[in-house]
Amino acid sequence: MTVRAAIQTKIVEYKQGDTTLEGFVAWDDALKGARPGVLVVHQWMGLTDYEKKRAEMLAQLGYVAFCADIYGKGVHPQNTAEAGAQAGKYKNDRQLLRARVNAGLAALRQQPRVDSKRIAAIGYCFGGTTVLELARSGADVAGVVSFHGGLDAPNPDDGKNIKCKVLVLHGADDPFSSPQDIAALENEMRKGGVDWQLVKFGGAVHSFTQPNAGNDNSKGAAYNERADQRSWEYMKVFFTGIFK
Amino acid sequence: MTVRAAIQTKIVEYKQGDTTLEGFVAWDDALKGARPGVLVVHQWMGLTDYEKKRAEMLAQLGYVAFCADIYGKGVHPQNTAEAGAQAGKYKNDRQLLRARVNAGLAALRQQPRVDSKRIAAIGYCFGGTTVLELARSGADVAGVVSFHGGLDAPNPDDGKNIKCKVLVLHGADDPFSSPQDIAALENEMRKGGVDWQLVKFGGAVHSFTQPNAGNDNSKGAAYNERADQRSWEYMKVFFTGIFK
């Protein structure tokens, strides 16, 4: 257990079926009473220090933040080929992906100090796709936020299952989601009567919140400080709205 | 002059060429020192109580807000046919539109208490189109915000003239801007290297900030409380960023 000011963190093992998963929880020990909970879903490289840092930032905002582990304990892709194989496995089996992310949600709800009536989920890249899938699973959460998620609509009718509010934060020059795929997602949500918002950040490509991604937009993935900061602010506005 | 708490307001006459225009300024008299200025551009019905109310809301946020008059003193469309004729006149003569809105900008700069280095412009419907045209004119402002503006790109190279940041707040079901027109605007800004953002609000049509627009989305224009509130919050985040 790490103590940093009042922010505390802890590794949490939990299960989906027979698979052991290794999550991470962060909270502000100085705050009393039940707090809203935020599930954080990782990028294609699996649960790394990046997502743990985001969880600590969320804890500093007063939330109990829980990083889900989709891939399983000990599964840590070492390169993009391994990451692509892992992410692909779940993108191609949305039911398994839903089961894994819902297991993370259940683990979040079990954390002490969590107000289980006030829950949201955010995700980055692969995790963005995953929280949209969480919404489509009909999960009882207040809202989900995708940061540069892979956007698509594998089953255009799935929007009808979505009970929560949706905020999609997207790089306007992200080459990994085609305009057609984005339009399909919009139509899925429109058809489903979802309360949704989509923000396009000009000049931003994939991974715009990820400092490790460098700054060369021509690679299709790069850090973009202003889109990073703005998207975080929009998430805060979104949480203020859903956690009233 | 109206006094409401510390908010004060005043009618201001100014000119563009030989045409007399009748603007409106609102400010918080309790605040000392120079304040950022915000130009407010009206809808197709001309400068009405709606825009004056927005100016007062901006004054409550600490800005000096100035409602421009694009149509001219005494020009007050009484119905949608007259409004369409007026708005059409300026939409079809973008140079005149630019001259009119820049005259409003100059009048704002001349107001006492305005920090002329910290200026933004917002506009609603016709006014949204107008503040984008203001940006394309190369105006020295920090940013412009379009609320359910008519979106298009009459001259795809004009984005290169834009020096300010751009925030476009749009109803995802607004029937008055086609997907092609929106894509053209995005491409104009992309090509111009503009710092731009576009927010689409699901379930919102044209006029989503206008309570008088009713609540029947099938008419293509309707009030949408959540999009109204969210768009105002995003504007505030935008201003916080540009007025640092």
Side-chain angles (χ1 to χ4, degrees), chain A residues 71-160:
Chain A
Y71 294 166
K73 183 176 177 179
V75 181
H76 299 292
Q78 295 301 305
N79 51 51
T80 54
E82 291 179 18
Q86 281 295 320
K89 171 182 168 186
Y90 295 93
K91 283 193 173 181
N92 291 324
D93 185 348
R94 299 286 174 125
Q95 293 307 318
L96 177 59
L97 181 56
R98 289 182 186 188
R100 287 284 163 93
V101 66
N102 273 288
L105 181 63
L108 166 60
R109 286 193 200 280
Q110 288 166 11
Q111 296 305 306
R113 299 160 189 265
V114 170
D115 177 352
S116 64
K117 294 196 187 316
R118 293 191 293 164
I119 302 282
I122 73 171
Y124 295 88
C125 301
F126 168 75
T129 310
T130 302
V131 298
L132 292 173
E133 215 52 59
L134 177 70
R136 291 174 181 128
S137 77
D140 182 22
V141 296
V144 301
V145 183
S146 165
F147 292 84
H148 45 82
L151 306 180
D152 60 3
N155 297 298
D157 284 335
D158 276 1
K160 293 176 183 165

Side-chain angles (χ1 to χ4, degrees), chain A residues 27-46:
Chain A
W27 70 95
D28 183 348
D29 208 46
L31 296 175
K32 303 302 172 198
R35 310 295 309 172
V38 180
L39 190 71
V40 180
V41 184
H42 55 74
Q43 303 174 90
W44 71 340
M45 295 301 286

Side-chain angles (χ1 to χ4, degrees), chain A residues 165 167 172-173 186 190 195-202 226 230 233-234 237, chain B residues 165 167 172-173 186 190 195-202 226 230 233-234 237:
Chain A
K165 299 179 195 298
L167 175 62
D173 296 332
E186 292 183 13
R190 191 173 277 125
D195 176 358
W196 64 277
Q197 302 171 76
L198 169 69
V199 184
K200 285 189 184 179
F201 296 100
R226 66 190 187 207
R230 289 168 182 172
E233 290 303 312
Y234 293 160
V237 170
Chain B
K165 299 178 195 299
L167 176 61
D173 296 332
E186 291 183 14
R190 190 173 279 124
D195 176 358
W196 65 277
Q197 301 171 76
L198 169 68
V199 184
K200 286 189 183 179
F201 297 100
R226 66 190 187 205
R230 290 168 182 172
E233 290 303 313
Y234 293 159
V237 170

Side-chain angles (χ1 to χ4, degrees), chain B:
Chain B
M1 186 177 288
T2 308
V3 178
R4 187 176 306 157
I7 305 301
Q8 306 226 6
T9 68
K10 198 170 64 166
I11 300 290
V12 178
E13 280 198 5
Y14 63 105
K15 290 217 166 202
Q16 184 270 315
D18 293 332
T19 305
T20 300
L21 306 163
E22 192 176 76
F24 173 90
V25 63
W27 71 97
D28 183 346
D29 208 44
L31 295 174
K32 302 301 171 198
R35 309 295 309 172
V38 180
L39 191 71
V40 180
V41 184
H42 56 73
Q43 303 175 88
W44 71 339
M45 296 300 287
L47 177 48
T48 69
D49 286 346
Y50 173 78
E51 291 80 18
K52 293 176 181 175
K53 172 81 187 313
R54 292 290 176 183
E56 292 179 27
M57 290 168 70
L58 288 163
Q60 282 160 2
L61 295 177
Y63 303 114
V64 176
F66 186 90
C67 294
D69 171 18
I70 303 297
Y71 294 167
K73 184 177 177 179
V75 180
H76 300 292
Q78 295 301 303
N79 51 52
T80 55
E82 290 178 21
Q86 281 295 320
K89 173 181 168 185
Y90 295 92
K91 282 194 173 181
N92 292 323
D93 185 349
R94 300 284 174 125
Q95 293 306 317
L96 177 59
L97 181 56
R98 290 183 185 188
R100 286 286 164 91
V101 66
N102 274 288
L105 181 63
L108 165 60
R109 288 193 199 280
Q110 288 165 11
Q111 296 306 306
R113 300 161 187 266
V114 170
D115 177 352
S116 65
K117 296 197 188 310
R118 292 190 296 165
I119 302 281
I122 73 171
Y124 295 89
C125 301
F126 168 75
T129 309
T130 302
V131 298
L132 291 173
E133 215 52 60
L134 177 69
R136 292 174 180 127
S137 78
D140 182 21
V141 296
V144 301
V145 183
S146 165
F147 292 84
H148 45 83
L151 307 181
D152 60 3
N155 298 298
D157 284 335
D158 276 3
K160 294 178 183 164
N161 302 325
I162 297 179
K163 298 173 190 161
C164 66
K165 299 178 195 299
V166 174
L167 176 61
V168 177
L169 302 166
H170 200 67
D173 296 332
D174 185 329
F176 297 107
S177 299
S178 70
Q180 292 75 21
D181 278 341
I182 296 172
L185 174 63
E186 291 183 14
N187 281 329
E188 178 192 348
M189 293 190 288
R190 190 173 279 124
K191 199 166 151 189
V194 179
D195 176 358
W196 65 277
Q197 301 171 76
L198 169 68
V199 184
K200 286 189 183 179
F201 297 100
V205 292
H206 200 61
S207 302
F208 60 78
T209 68
Q210 172 60 274
N212 291 347
N215 60 8
D216 182 357
N217 271 15
S218 73
K219 293 187 173 166
Y223 182 63
N224 183 303
E225 186 179 13
R226 66 190 187 205
D228 179 20
Q229 292 177 349
R230 290 168 182 172
S231 59
W232 191 254
E233 290 303 313
Y234 293 159
M235 178 202 72
K236 290 199 286 187
V237 170
F238 183 72
F239 285 171
T240 300
I242 66 178
F243 291 144
K244 261 186 244 182

